[in-house]
Amino acid sequence: MESGAVPGWSGDGGGRGALAGLRIVEIASIGPGPFCAMMLADHGAEVLRIERPGDPLGAAAPLGGRDVLLRSRRTHVLDLKDPAGVAAVRALARDADGLVEGFRPGVMERLGLGPDLLLADNPRLVYGRMTGWGQTGPMAPRAGHDINYIALAGNLHGYGRAGGKPTPPINAVADFGGGGMMMAFGMLAGIMAARRTGRGQVVDCAMVDGAGLLGAMTWSFLAQDAWTDERGVNLLDTGAPFYDSYETADGRHVAIGALEPQFYALLLDRLGGADDPLFARQNDRAAWPAMRARLEALFRSRSRDEWTALFDGCDACFAPVLSLAEAPRDPHSRARDSFVAVDGHIQPAPAPRFSATPARRPVAGQVSQ
């Protein structure tokens, strides 16, 4: 499609899936915005992505199945600094259920595509705003990335080992959990409300807010005096030796999470430590350092795959730590088709799963010319 040409809805309702019939306009962004749009498209929504001409981070150059976040939807190239491009987006939004954008506060207003205008055009529209810091507050106009949002929300302080520095879990927490997935929830909640009331609204989805919300259980533990506000000394942050990863004889790793007594007993049974008085002191924090040293020595005595075979069929909360290359080949993942190939490239399959309205099989995103 030429820049400035008018895109349109397909009329097929987006195909099958729980969200078939939903129409979403996606203003191109990176990370959490397209992840939200991908989730909606996976489950049947018709999502039209509007890309700026020549955007090196977007879909203007066809990437096929290599860009997972752009799957299962069409991209149109429109110049949003051209009145014709703005008019095209407004026309799409008039017939849409929702719009998702990921600019800093005020940018869409300056383009002539702010929520006041689009909600006047379509009072039922749900206008999703995906930012790091939110639409208000002293940080709102500032740049940032996942590591900054989880730092300010308190999450990053708790990620890492005792005595070490905070270690970010790649960019999963703010960008995708607290951002893209939270935005998908917000859009669907807003659309349900609009269908009930006839009134759309603005969804202010800030990654810093979402990251904080993902820490709700930790805040619960803290309120119950069951959590110490420092790294690597608690039950779920590698403080407990029975909830951690261990190196094996071949330099690979296994993960154990035997928190409950019955699972811990099974772990000890398979390790041959059921009669060891040290391991009998599961919740004695004074015993944890010696217990960890014993577990480190035990797990280094066999290869990862040997341990996996030993724990096969056991409820000890054990799993091998698989690489990205290995995960799709795991028997459980293969049995569930947890990964799919798109244009010859492996990627995660849509989730969650629906019994009556299954997600459509992902296809590579298409750039209209």
Side-chain angles (χ1 to χ4, degrees):
M1 165 165 282
E2 298 295 334
S3 178
V6 180
W9 300 103
S10 68
D12 66 2
R16 72 176 193 175
L19 303 182
L22 238 58
R23 291 175 168 178
I24 305 292
V25 178
E26 174 196 1
I27 305 299
S29 59
I30 60 173
F35 183 76
C36 165
M38 179 202 76
M39 290 191 65
L40 299 176
D42 279 348
H43 293 286
E46 181 179 4
V47 181
L48 290 182
R49 178 177 167 92
I50 305 303
E51 188 74 64
R52 293 165 288 178
D55 187 341
L57 295 176
L63 294 175
R66 287 179 289 167
D67 194 333
V68 177
L69 299 183
L70 300 185
R71 71 189 184 193
S72 300
R73 57 198 192 274
R74 290 179 290 146
T75 291
H76 294 276
V77 179
L78 292 176
D79 186 354
L80 299 186
K81 295 183 179 179
D82 182 333
V86 172
V89 173
R90 289 186 69 173
L92 285 171
R94 286 189 187 97
D95 293 322
D97 296 284
L99 177 144
V100 176
E101 60 96 359
F103 291 124
R104 295 196 206 188
V107 172
M108 286 290 279
E109 284 83 351
R110 291 194 292 274
L111 291 171
L113 292 169
D116 290 345
L117 278 173
L118 297 194
L119 281 164
D121 290 343
N122 177 3
R124 296 172 62 92
L125 183 72
V126 176
Y127 193 109
R129 315 202 78 167
M130 182 78 262
T131 62
W133 303 113
Q135 297 297 310
T136 59
M139 297 290 286
R142 301 262 299 270
H145 279 297
D146 186 291
I147 191 170
N148 309 119
Y149 311 136
I150 63 174
L152 204 69
N155 303 60
L156 183 57
H157 175 74
Y159 300 155
R161 295 191 175 275
K165 66 179 182 178
T167 303
I170 316 183
N171 66 330
V173 176
D175 278 355
F176 297 107
M181 198 170 292
M182 205 70 70
M183 175 61 95
F185 167 79
M187 292 300 294
L188 295 179
I191 289 168
M192 287 182 66
R195 291 187 170 182
R196 186 178 68 251
T197 66
R199 298 190 306 275
Q201 58 186 303
V202 175
V203 179
D204 177 359
C205 186
M207 287 176 260
V208 67
D209 296 345
L213 184 60
L214 291 179
M217 176 177 269
T218 306
W219 286 97
S220 294
F221 289 153
L222 189 65
Q224 298 163 24
D225 295 325
W227 193 268
T228 300
D229 196 13
E230 57 183 280
R231 281 181 298 286
V233 299
N234 297 286
L235 197 62
L236 302 176
D237 62 359
T238 75
F242 43 87
Y243 194 93
D244 205 348
S245 61
Y246 288 91
E247 186 176 359
T248 54
D250 53 353
R252 293 193 276 184
H253 295 83
V254 296
I256 58 172
L259 297 174
E260 293 83 358
Q262 67 272 29
F263 303 143
Y264 183 68
L266 290 170
L267 173 72
L268 298 185
D269 180 67
R270 293 297 169 102
L271 290 174
D275 297 323
D276 189 322
L278 174 63
F279 287 131
R281 300 162 61 189
Q282 179 184 6
N283 295 311
D284 181 357
R285 290 174 180 255
W288 283 3
M291 193 183 300
R292 180 181 303 280
R294 190 79 57 84
L295 288 172
E296 287 173 344
L298 278 170
F299 281 114
R300 278 199 296 264
S301 69
R302 303 188 189 200
S303 71
R304 185 196 67 181
D305 292 346
E306 288 174 329
W307 284 117
T308 301
L310 182 67
F311 278 93
D312 185 44
C314 177
D315 264 353
C317 301
F318 167 97
V321 177
L322 302 181
S323 69
L324 293 179
E326 293 174 310
R329 301 196 300 266
D330 179 75
H332 185 77
S333 295
R334 293 179 60 150
R336 289 182 57 79
D337 293 323
S338 298
F339 295 87
V340 296
V342 178
D343 281 3
H345 299 281
I346 301 297
Q347 55 188 258
R353 303 181 185 212
F354 292 82
S355 62
T357 54
R360 56 188 178 187
R361 184 175 180 82
V363 296
Q366 299 176 345
V367 181
S368 298
Q369 299 296 334

